[in-house]
Coordinates of all heavy atoms in Angstrom, one line a residue:
M1 N 0.8 -1.2 0.0 CA 0.0 0.0 0.0 C 0.9 1.2 0.0 O 1.8 1.3 0.8 CB -0.8 0.0 1.3 CG -1.8 1.0 1.4 SD -2.7 0.7 2.9 CE -4.3 1.3 2.7
P2 N 0.7 2.2 -0.9 CA 1.6 3.4 -1.0 C 1.3 4.3 0.2 O 0.2 4.4 0.7 CB 1.2 4.1 -2.3 CG -0.1 3.4 -2.8 CD -0.3 2.1 -2.0
V3 N 2.4 5.0 0.6 CA 2.4 5.9 1.7 C 2.3 7.3 1.0 O 3.1 7.7 0.2 CB 3.6 5.8 2.6 CG1 3.6 6.9 3.6 CG2 3.7 4.4 3.2
E4 N 1.3 8.1 1.5 CA 1.1 9.5 1.0 C 2.1 10.3 1.7 O 2.2 10.3 2.9 CB -0.3 10.0 1.3 CG -0.6 11.3 0.8 CD -2.0 11.7 1.0 OE1 -2.9 10.8 1.1 OE2 -2.2 12.9 1.1
Q5 N 2.8 11.1 0.9 CA 3.8 12.0 1.5 C 3.3 13.5 1.3 O 2.8 13.8 0.2 CB 5.1 11.9 0.9 CG 5.8 10.6 1.1 CD 7.2 10.5 0.5 OE1 7.5 11.2 -0.4 NE2 8.0 9.7 1.1
T6 N 3.4 14.2 2.3 CA 3.1 15.6 2.2 C 4.2 16.5 2.7 O 5.0 16.0 3.5 CB 1.8 16.0 3.1 OG1 2.1 15.7 4.5 CG2 0.6 15.2 2.7
T7 N 4.3 17.7 2.2 CA 5.3 18.6 2.7 C 4.6 19.8 3.4 O 3.5 20.3 2.9 CB 6.2 19.1 1.6 OG1 5.4 19.7 0.6 CG2 7.0 18.0 1.0
E8 N 5.1 20.2 4.4 CA 4.5 21.3 5.2 C 5.5 22.4 5.4 O 6.7 22.0 5.8 CB 4.0 20.7 6.5 CG 3.2 21.7 7.3 CD 2.6 21.0 8.6 OE1 2.3 19.8 8.6 OE2 2.6 21.7 9.6
A9 N 5.2 23.6 5.2 CA 6.1 24.7 5.4 C 6.3 24.9 6.9 O 5.4 24.8 7.7 CB 5.6 26.0 4.8
V10 N 7.5 25.1 7.3 CA 7.9 25.4 8.7 C 8.4 26.8 8.8 O 9.2 27.2 8.0 CB 8.9 24.4 9.1 CG1 9.4 24.7 10.6 CG2 8.4 23.0 9.0
S11 N 7.7 27.6 9.6 CA 8.2 29.0 9.7 C 9.6 29.1 10.3 O 10.0 28.2 11.1 CB 7.2 29.8 10.6 OG 7.3 29.5 11.9
T12 N 10.3 30.1 10.0 CA 11.6 30.4 10.5 C 11.6 30.5 12.0 O 12.4 30.1 12.7 CB 12.2 31.7 9.8 OG1 12.2 31.5 8.4 CG2 13.6 31.9 10.3
E13 N 10.5 31.2 12.5 CA 10.3 31.5 13.9 C 10.2 30.2 14.7 O 10.9 30.0 15.7 CB 9.1 32.3 14.2 CG 8.9 32.8 15.6 CD 7.8 33.7 15.8 OE1 7.7 34.6 15.0 OE2 7.0 33.4 16.6
S14 N 9.5 29.2 14.3 CA 9.4 28.0 15.0 C 10.6 27.2 15.0 O 11.1 26.4 15.8 CB 8.1 27.1 14.5 OG 8.4 26.7 13.2
T15 N 11.3 27.2 13.8 CA 12.6 26.5 13.6 C 13.7 27.1 14.6 O 14.3 26.4 15.3 CB 13.1 26.7 12.2 OG1 12.1 26.0 11.3 CG2 14.4 25.9 12.0
A16 N 13.7 28.4 14.7 CA 14.6 29.1 15.6 C 14.3 28.8 16.9 O 15.3 28.5 17.8 CB 14.6 30.6 15.4
A17 N 13.1 28.7 17.3 CA 12.7 28.4 18.7 C 13.2 26.9 19.1 O 13.6 26.6 20.1 CB 11.2 28.5 19.0
A18 N 13.0 26.1 18.1 CA 13.4 24.6 18.3 C 15.0 24.5 18.5 O 15.4 23.6 19.1 CB 13.0 23.8 17.1
D19 N 15.7 25.4 17.8 CA 17.2 25.4 17.9 C 17.7 26.1 19.1 O 18.9 26.2 19.3 CB 17.8 26.0 16.6 CG 17.5 25.2 15.4 OD1 17.2 23.9 15.6 OD2 17.6 25.7 14.3
L20 N 16.9 26.8 19.9 CA 17.2 27.5 21.0 C 17.9 26.7 22.1 O 17.3 25.7 22.5 CB 16.1 28.4 21.6 CG 16.3 29.5 22.5 CD1 17.3 30.5 21.9 CD2 15.0 30.2 22.8
T21 N 19.0 27.0 22.6 CA 19.7 26.4 23.7 C 19.6 27.2 24.9 O 19.8 28.3 25.0 CB 21.2 26.1 23.3 OG1 21.3 25.4 22.1 CG2 22.0 25.4 24.4
Y22 N 19.3 26.5 26.0 CA 19.2 27.1 27.4 C 20.5 26.7 28.2 O 20.9 25.6 28.2 CB 18.0 26.7 28.1 CG 16.8 27.4 27.6 CD1 16.2 27.0 26.4 CD2 16.2 28.5 28.3 CE1 15.0 27.6 25.9 CE2 15.0 29.2 27.8 CZ 14.6 28.7 26.6 OH 13.4 29.4 26.1
F23 N 21.0 27.7 28.9 CA 22.2 27.5 29.7 C 21.9 27.8 31.1 O 21.1 28.6 31.5 CB 23.3 28.6 29.3 CG 23.7 28.5 27.8 CD1 23.0 29.1 26.8 CD2 24.8 27.6 27.4 CE1 23.4 29.0 25.5 CE2 25.1 27.5 26.1 CZ 24.4 28.2 25.1
A24 N 22.5 26.9 32.0 CA 22.3 26.9 33.4 C 22.9 28.1 34.1 O 24.1 28.4 33.8 CB 22.7 25.6 34.1
V25 N 22.2 28.8 34.9 CA 22.7 29.8 35.8 C 23.5 29.0 36.9 O 23.1 27.9 37.3 CB 21.6 30.7 36.4 CG1 22.1 31.6 37.5 CG2 20.9 31.5 35.3
A26 N 24.5 29.6 37.5 CA 25.4 29.0 38.5 C 24.5 28.4 39.7 O 23.5 29.1 40.0 CB 26.4 29.9 39.0
P27 N 24.9 27.3 40.2 CA 24.0 26.7 41.3 C 24.0 27.7 42.5 O 25.0 28.3 42.9 CB 24.9 25.4 41.6 CG 25.8 25.1 40.5 CD 26.0 26.4 39.8
G28 N 22.8 27.7 43.1 CA 22.6 28.5 44.2 C 22.5 30.0 44.0 O 22.5 30.8 45.0
V29 N 22.6 30.4 42.8 CA 22.6 31.9 42.5 C 21.2 32.4 42.1 O 20.6 31.8 41.2 CB 23.6 32.2 41.4 CG1 23.5 33.6 40.9 CG2 25.0 31.9 41.9
R30 N 20.8 33.5 42.7 CA 19.6 34.2 42.2 C 20.2 35.4 41.4 O 20.8 36.3 42.0 CB 18.7 34.7 43.4 CG 18.1 33.6 44.2 CD 17.3 34.1 45.4 NE 16.1 34.8 44.9 CZ 15.8 36.1 45.2 NH1 16.5 36.8 46.1 NH2 14.7 36.6 44.8
L31 N 20.0 35.3 40.1 CA 20.8 36.2 39.3 C 20.0 37.5 38.9 O 18.9 37.4 38.5 CB 21.2 35.5 38.0 CG 22.1 36.1 37.0 CD1 23.4 36.5 37.7 CD2 22.4 35.2 35.8
N32 N 20.7 38.6 39.1 CA 20.1 39.9 38.7 C 20.0 40.0 37.2 O 21.0 39.8 36.5 CB 20.9 41.1 39.2 CG 20.8 41.3 40.7 OD1 19.9 40.8 41.3 ND2 21.8 41.9 41.3
V33 N 18.9 40.4 36.6 CA 18.7 40.8 35.3 C 18.6 42.3 35.1 O 17.8 42.9 35.8 CB 17.4 40.1 34.7 CG1 17.2 40.4 33.2 CG2 17.4 38.6 34.9
R34 N 19.5 42.8 34.2 CA 19.6 44.2 34.0 C 19.0 44.7 32.7 O 19.0 43.9 31.8 CB 21.1 44.7 34.1 CG 21.8 44.3 35.4 CD 21.5 45.4 36.5 NE 22.1 45.0 37.7 CZ 22.0 45.8 38.8 NH1 21.4 46.9 38.7 NH2 22.6 45.4 39.9
S35 N 18.8 46.0 32.5 CA 18.2 46.5 31.3 C 19.2 46.7 30.2 O 18.9 47.0 29.0 CB 17.4 47.8 31.5 OG 18.3 48.8 32.0
G36 N 20.5 46.6 30.5 CA 21.6 46.7 29.6 C 22.8 46.0 30.1 O 22.7 45.4 31.2
P37 N 23.9 46.0 29.3 CA 25.0 45.2 29.7 C 26.0 45.8 30.7 O 27.2 46.2 30.4 CB 25.8 45.0 28.3 CG 25.4 46.3 27.6 CD 24.0 46.6 28.1
G38 N 25.5 46.0 32.0 CA 26.3 46.5 33.0 C 25.5 46.6 34.3 O 24.3 46.7 34.3
T39 N 26.3 46.8 35.3 CA 25.7 46.9 36.6 C 25.1 48.3 36.9 O 24.3 48.5 37.8 CB 26.8 46.7 37.8 OG1 27.9 47.5 37.6 CG2 27.2 45.2 37.8
Q40 N 25.4 49.2 36.0 CA 24.8 50.6 36.2 C 23.4 50.7 35.6 O 22.7 51.6 35.8 CB 25.7 51.6 35.5 CG 25.7 51.7 34.0 CD 26.7 50.7 33.3 OE1 27.1 49.6 33.9 NE2 27.0 51.0 32.1
Y41 N 23.0 49.6 34.9 CA 21.7 49.6 34.2 C 20.6 49.2 35.3 O 20.9 48.5 36.2 CB 21.6 48.6 33.1 CG 22.3 49.2 31.8 CD1 23.7 48.9 31.7 CD2 21.7 49.9 30.9 CE1 24.4 49.4 30.6 CE2 22.3 50.4 29.8 CZ 23.7 50.2 29.6 OH 24.4 50.6 28.5
A42 N 19.4 49.5 35.1 CA 18.3 49.2 36.0 C 18.1 47.7 36.2 O 18.2 47.0 35.2 CB 17.0 49.9 35.5
L43 N 17.8 47.4 37.4 CA 17.4 46.0 37.7 C 16.0 45.8 37.2 O 15.0 46.4 37.5 CB 17.5 45.8 39.2 CG 17.2 44.4 39.7 CD1 18.3 43.4 39.2 CD2 17.1 44.4 41.2
V44 N 15.9 44.7 36.3 CA 14.6 44.4 35.7 C 13.8 43.3 36.5 O 12.7 43.5 36.7 CB 14.8 43.8 34.2 CG1 13.5 43.3 33.6 CG2 15.5 45.0 33.4
K45 N 14.6 42.3 36.9 CA 14.0 41.3 37.8 C 15.2 40.4 38.3 O 16.3 40.7 38.0 CB 13.1 40.4 36.9 CG 13.8 39.6 35.8 CD 12.7 38.9 35.0 CE 13.3 38.2 33.7 NZ 12.2 37.5 32.9
V46 N 14.9 39.5 39.2 CA 15.9 38.4 39.6 C 15.5 37.0 39.3 O 14.3 36.8 39.5 CB 16.0 38.6 41.2 CG1 17.0 37.7 41.8 CG2 16.4 40.1 41.5
L47 N 16.3 36.3 38.7 CA 16.0 35.0 38.3 C 16.2 34.1 39.5 O 17.0 34.2 40.3 CB 17.0 34.5 37.2 CG 17.0 35.2 35.9 CD1 18.0 34.7 34.9 CD2 15.6 35.1 35.2
P48 N 15.3 33.1 39.6 CA 15.3 32.2 40.8 C 16.5 31.2 40.7 O 17.0 31.0 39.6 CB 14.0 31.4 40.7 CG 13.6 31.4 39.2 CD 14.2 32.7 38.7
V49 N 16.8 30.6 41.8 CA 17.8 29.5 41.9 C 17.4 28.5 41.0 O 16.2 28.1 40.9 CB 18.0 29.0 43.3 CG1 18.9 27.8 43.4 CG2 18.6 30.1 44.2
G50 N 18.3 27.9 40.1 CA 18.0 26.8 39.3 C 17.5 27.3 37.9 O 17.2 26.4 37.0
A51 N 17.6 28.6 37.6 CA 17.1 29.1 36.4 C 18.0 28.6 35.1 O 19.2 28.4 35.3 CB 17.0 30.6 36.4
K52 N 17.4 28.6 34.0 CA 18.2 28.4 32.7 C 17.8 29.5 31.8 O 16.6 30.0 31.9 CB 17.9 27.0 32.1 CG 18.3 25.9 32.9 CD 18.1 24.6 32.2 CE 18.8 23.4 33.1 NZ 18.8 22.1 32.4
V53 N 18.8 30.0 31.0 CA 18.5 31.2 30.1 C 18.9 30.9 28.7 O 19.9 30.2 28.5 CB 19.2 32.4 30.7 CG1 18.6 32.8 32.0 CG2 20.7 32.2 30.8
P54 N 18.2 31.4 27.7 CA 18.6 31.4 26.4 C 19.7 32.6 26.3 O 19.6 33.5 27.0 CB 17.4 31.7 25.5 CG 16.6 32.5 26.4 CD 16.9 32.0 27.9
I55 N 20.5 32.6 25.2 CA 21.4 33.7 24.9 C 21.2 34.0 23.4 O 21.5 33.2 22.6 CB 22.9 33.3 25.3 CG1 23.1 33.0 26.7 CG2 23.8 34.5 24.9 CD1 24.4 32.5 27.0
F56 N 20.7 35.1 23.2 CA 20.4 35.5 21.8 C 21.6 36.2 21.2 O 21.8 36.1 20.0 CB 19.1 36.4 21.8 CG 17.9 35.7 22.2 CD1 17.3 35.9 23.4 CD2 17.3 34.8 21.3 CE1 16.2 35.2 23.9 CE2 16.1 34.1 21.7 CZ 15.6 34.3 23.0
C57 N 22.2 37.1 22.0 CA 23.4 37.7 21.6 C 24.2 38.1 22.8 O 23.7 38.0 23.9 CB 23.1 38.9 20.7 SG 22.1 40.2 21.4
Q58 N 25.5 38.6 22.6 CA 26.3 39.1 23.8 C 26.9 40.4 23.5 O 27.2 40.8 22.4 CB 27.4 38.0 24.0 CG 26.8 36.7 24.5 CD 27.8 35.6 24.6 OE1 28.5 35.3 23.6 NE2 27.9 35.1 25.8
S59 N 27.1 41.2 24.6 CA 27.7 42.5 24.5 C 28.8 42.7 25.6 O 28.7 42.1 26.7 CB 26.6 43.6 24.8 OG 25.7 43.6 23.7
P60 N 29.8 43.5 25.3 CA 30.7 43.9 26.3 C 30.1 44.9 27.2 O 29.3 45.7 26.9 CB 31.9 44.5 25.5 CG 31.2 45.0 24.2 CD 30.1 44.1 23.9
G61 N 30.5 44.9 28.5 CA 29.9 45.8 29.5 C 30.8 45.9 30.7 O 32.0 45.6 30.6
T62 N 30.1 46.0 31.8 CA 30.8 46.2 33.1 C 31.5 44.8 33.4 O 31.0 43.7 33.3 CB 29.8 46.4 34.2 OG1 29.1 47.6 33.9 CG2 30.5 46.5 35.6
R63 N 32.8 44.8 33.9 CA 33.5 43.7 34.3 C 32.9 43.1 35.6 O 32.8 43.9 36.5 CB 35.0 44.0 34.4 CG 35.9 42.9 34.5 CD 37.3 43.3 34.2 NE 38.2 42.2 33.8 CZ 38.1 41.6 32.7 NH1 37.3 41.9 31.7 NH2 39.0 40.6 32.5
V64 N 32.6 41.9 35.7 CA 32.1 41.3 36.8 C 32.8 40.0 37.2 O 33.2 39.2 36.3 CB 30.5 40.9 36.6 CG1 29.9 40.0 37.7 CG2 29.7 42.1 36.3
T65 N 33.0 39.7 38.4 CA 33.6 38.4 38.9 C 32.5 37.6 39.5 O 31.7 38.0 40.3 CB 34.7 38.7 40.0 OG1 35.7 39.5 39.3 CG2 35.3 37.3 40.5
G66 N 32.3 36.4 39.0 CA 31.3 35.5 39.4 C 31.7 34.0 39.6 O 32.9 33.7 39.6
T67 N 30.8 33.1 39.6 CA 31.1 31.7 39.8 C 31.9 31.2 38.7 O 32.8 30.3 39.0 CB 29.8 31.0 39.7 OG1 28.9 31.5 40.7 CG2 30.0 29.4 40.0
Y68 N 31.8 31.6 37.5 CA 32.6 31.1 36.3 C 33.7 32.1 35.9 O 34.1 32.1 34.8 CB 31.6 30.8 35.2 CG 30.7 29.7 35.6 CD1 29.3 30.0 35.6 CD2 31.1 28.5 36.0 CE1 28.4 29.1 36.0 CE2 30.1 27.6 36.4 CZ 28.8 27.9 36.4 OH 27.8 26.9 36.8
G69 N 34.2 32.9 36.8 CA 35.4 33.7 36.5 C 35.0 35.2 36.4 O 34.0 35.6 36.8
T70 N 35.9 35.9 35.9 CA 35.8 37.4 35.7 C 35.7 37.7 34.2 O 36.4 37.2 33.4 CB 37.0 38.2 36.2 OG1 37.1 37.8 37.7 CG2 36.9 39.7 36.1
T71 N 34.6 38.5 33.8 CA 34.4 38.7 32.5 C 33.7 40.1 32.3 O 33.0 40.5 33.2 CB 33.5 37.6 31.7 OG1 33.4 37.8 30.4 CG2 32.2 37.5 32.4
N72 N 33.8 40.6 31.1 CA 33.0 41.8 30.8 C 31.9 41.5 29.7 O 31.2 42.3 29.2 CB 33.8 42.9 30.2 CG 34.3 42.6 28.8 OD1 34.5 41.4 28.4 ND2 34.7 43.7 28.1
I73 N 31.7 40.2 29.5 CA 30.6 39.7 28.6 C 29.2 39.7 29.3 O 29.1 39.1 30.4 CB 31.0 38.3 28.0 CG1 32.3 38.4 27.2 CG2 29.8 37.8 27.1 CD1 32.8 37.1 26.8
W74 N 28.2 40.3 28.6 CA 26.9 40.2 29.2 C 26.0 39.5 28.1 O 26.1 39.7 26.9 CB 26.4 41.7 29.4 CG 27.0 42.2 30.7 CD1 28.3 42.6 30.8 CD2 26.3 42.3 31.9 NE1 28.5 43.0 32.1 CE2 27.3 42.8 32.8 CE3 25.1 42.1 32.3 CZ2 27.1 43.2 34.1 CZ3 24.7 42.4 33.7 CH2 25.8 42.9 34.6
D75 N 25.2 38.6 28.6 CA 24.3 37.8 27.7 C 22.9 38.5 27.6 O 22.3 38.7 28.7 CB 24.1 36.4 28.4 CG 25.5 35.7 28.6 OD1 26.4 36.0 27.9 OD2 25.6 34.9 29.6
N76 N 22.4 38.6 26.4 CA 21.1 39.1 26.2 C 20.2 37.9 26.2 O 20.3 37.0 25.4 CB 21.0 39.8 24.8 CG 19.5 40.2 24.4 OD1 18.9 39.5 23.7 ND2 19.1 41.3 25.1
I77 N 19.3 37.8 27.2 CA 18.4 36.7 27.4 C 16.9 37.0 27.0 O 16.1 36.1 26.9 CB 18.4 36.2 28.9 CG1 17.9 37.3 29.8 CG2 19.8 35.8 29.3 CD1 17.6 36.7 31.3
D78 N 16.7 38.2 26.7 CA 15.3 38.6 26.2 C 15.4 40.0 25.7 O 16.4 40.7 26.0 CB 14.2 38.4 27.3 CG 12.8 38.3 26.6 OD1 12.6 38.5 25.5 OD2 12.0 37.8 27.4
N79 N 14.4 40.6 25.2 CA 14.4 42.0 24.8 C 14.6 42.9 26.0 O 13.8 42.9 26.9 CB 13.1 42.3 24.1 CG 13.2 43.7 23.4 OD1 14.2 44.1 23.1 ND2 12.0 44.3 23.1
G80 N 15.8 43.6 26.0 CA 16.1 44.5 27.1 C 16.5 43.8 28.4 O 16.3 44.4 29.5
E81 N 16.9 42.6 28.3 CA 17.2 41.9 29.6 C 18.7 41.2 29.4 O 18.9 40.4 28.5 CB 16.3 40.7 29.9 CG 14.8 41.3 30.2 CD 13.8 40.3 30.6 OE1 14.3 39.1 30.7 OE2 12.7 40.6 30.9
Y82 N 19.6 41.6 30.3 CA 20.9 41.2 30.2 C 21.3 40.5 31.6 O 21.0 41.1 32.7 CB 21.9 42.3 29.9 CG 21.7 42.9 28.4 CD1 20.7 43.7 28.1 CD2 22.6 42.4 27.5 CE1 20.6 44.2 26.9 CE2 22.5 42.9 26.2 CZ 21.5 43.7 25.9 OH 21.4 44.2 24.6
V83 N 22.2 39.5 31.5 CA 22.8 39.0 32.7 C 24.3 38.8 32.5 O 24.8 38.7 31.3 CB 22.3 37.6 33.1 CG1 20.7 37.7 33.5 CG2 22.4 36.6 32.0
S84 N 25.1 38.9 33.6 CA 26.6 38.7 33.4 C 26.8 37.3 33.1 O 26.4 36.4 33.7 CB 27.3 39.1 34.7 OG 28.7 38.8 34.5
D85 N 27.7 37.1 32.1 CA 28.2 35.8 31.6 C 29.0 35.1 32.8 O 29.1 33.9 32.7 CB 29.0 35.9 30.3 CG 29.1 34.5 29.6 OD1 28.1 34.0 29.3 OD2 30.2 34.1 29.5
A86 N 29.4 35.9 33.7 CA 30.2 35.3 34.8 C 29.4 34.3 35.7 O 29.9 33.5 36.4 CB 30.7 36.4 35.7
Y87 N 28.1 34.4 35.5 CA 27.2 33.4 36.3 C 26.4 32.4 35.4 O 25.5 31.8 35.9 CB 26.2 34.3 37.1 CG 26.8 35.0 38.2 CD1 27.2 36.4 38.0 CD2 27.1 34.4 39.4 CE1 27.8 37.1 39.0 CE2 27.8 35.2 40.4 CZ 28.0 36.5 40.2 OH 28.7 37.2 41.2
V88 N 26.7 32.3 34.1 CA 26.0 31.4 33.2 C 27.0 30.4 32.7 O 28.1 30.7 32.2 CB 25.4 32.3 32.0 CG1 24.6 31.3 31.0 CG2 24.5 33.3 32.6
H89 N 26.6 29.2 32.8 CA 27.5 28.0 32.4 C 27.4 27.8 30.9 O 26.5 27.1 30.4 CB 27.2 26.7 33.2 CG 28.2 25.7 32.9 ND1 28.0 24.7 32.1 CD2 29.4 25.5 33.5 CE1 29.1 23.9 32.1 NE2 29.9 24.5 32.9
T90 N 28.3 28.5 30.2 CA 28.3 28.3 28.7 C 29.4 27.4 28.2 O 29.3 26.9 27.0 CB 28.6 29.7 28.0 OG1 29.8 30.2 28.4 CG2 27.5 30.7 28.4
G91 N 30.3 27.0 29.1 CA 31.3 26.1 28.7 C 32.5 26.9 28.0 O 33.4 26.3 27.4
S92 N 32.5 28.2 28.0 CA 33.5 29.0 27.3 C 33.8 30.3 28.1 O 32.8 30.8 28.7 CB 32.9 29.4 25.9 OG 33.9 30.2 25.3
D93 N 35.0 30.7 28.0 CA 35.4 32.0 28.6 C 35.2 33.2 27.6 O 35.3 34.3 28.0 CB 36.8 32.0 29.0 CG 37.0 31.1 30.2 OD1 36.1 30.9 30.9 OD2 38.2 30.7 30.4
G94 N 34.8 32.8 26.4 CA 34.6 33.9 25.3 C 33.2 34.0 24.8 O 32.3 33.4 25.4
Y95 N 33.0 34.7 23.7 CA 31.7 34.9 23.1 C 31.3 33.5 22.4 O 32.1 32.9 21.7 CB 31.8 35.9 22.1 CG 31.9 37.3 22.6 CD1 33.1 37.9 22.9 CD2 30.7 38.1 22.9 CE1 33.2 39.2 23.5 CE2 30.8 39.4 23.4 CZ 32.0 39.9 23.7 OH 32.1 41.2 24.2
I96 N 30.0 33.2 22.6 CA 29.5 31.9 22.0 C 28.3 32.3 21.1 O 27.8 31.5 20.5 CB 28.9 31.0 23.1 CG1 27.9 31.6 24.0 CG2 30.2 30.5 23.9 CD1 27.0 30.6 24.6
R97 N 27.9 33.6 21.1 CA 26.9 34.1 20.3 C 27.4 35.4 19.6 O 28.3 36.1 20.0 CB 25.7 34.4 21.1 CG 24.9 33.2 21.7 CD 24.2 32.4 20.5 NE 23.3 31.3 21.1 CZ 23.8 30.2 21.2 NH1 24.9 29.7 20.8 NH2 22.9 29.2 21.7
P98 N 26.7 35.9 18.5 CA 27.1 37.1 17.9 C 26.9 38.3 18.8 O 26.1 38.2 19.8 CB 26.1 37.2 16.7 CG 25.3 36.0 16.6 CD 25.5 35.3 17.9
R99 N 27.6 39.3 18.6 CA 27.6 40.6 19.4 C 26.2 41.2 19.1 O 25.7 41.1 18.0 CB 28.7 41.5 19.0 CG 30.0 41.1 19.3 CD 30.7 41.8 20.4 NE 32.0 41.2 20.7 CZ 33.0 42.0 21.0 NH1 32.9 43.3 21.1 NH2 34.1 41.5 21.3
C100 N 25.6 41.7 20.1 CA 24.3 42.4 20.0 C 24.5 43.7 19.2 O 25.6 44.3 19.3 CB 23.8 42.8 21.3 SG 23.4 41.3 22.4
S101 N 23.6 44.0 18.4 CA 23.7 45.3 17.6 C 23.0 46.4 18.2 O 22.3 46.3 19.2 CB 23.1 45.0 16.2 OG 21.8 44.6 16.2

């Protein structure tokens, strides 16, 4: 018996969401989320212990020392939301995503 094959268009948005990787915040840390890449930016919210975050792009900013070393890299986790990469387990000391524009 023949099998009917169909092709279905997949939107770029759903494909991008499927490819999104989440990175663990350092154990035991409630991480401050800022409105920009630095400690001088407004506090937007605080992530709970055990949080995981996506990283859309990264920017240089305030130098911070945290669980995973000292860095000036800030991770953009949502529109207008940044966290210091010093507290995010990316497996790298450098940039892992494109620079934010």
Side-chain angles (χ1 to χ4, degrees):
M1 183 179 215
V3 175
E4 184 178 329
Q5 291 184 338
T6 60
T7 57
E8 188 175 321
V10 177
S11 76
T12 305
E13 187 174 310
S14 65
T15 301
D19 293 339
L20 195 56
T21 300
Y22 283 78
F23 299 89
V25 171
V29 172
R30 295 179 68 236
L31 188 57
N32 289 338
V33 178
R34 302 277 180 178
S35 63
T39 55
Q40 75 275 22
Y41 288 89
L43 183 64
V44 174
K45 64 183 176 184
V46 179
L47 297 176
V49 171
K52 292 186 177 187
V53 295
I55 300 174
F56 296 102
C57 60
Q58 295 176 299
S59 290
T62 306
R63 193 163 199 73
V64 173
T65 299
T67 306
Y68 300 116
T70 300
T71 185
N72 72 334
I73 298 173
W74 285 73
D75 305 329
N76 174 258
I77 63 168
D78 204 346
N79 190 23
E81 296 186 2
Y82 292 81
V83 296
S84 172
D85 195 61
Y87 292 98
V88 180
H89 188 262
T90 63
S92 172
D93 288 339
Y95 287 87
I96 61 159
R97 293 285 188 264
R99 297 248 181 142
C100 301
S101 53

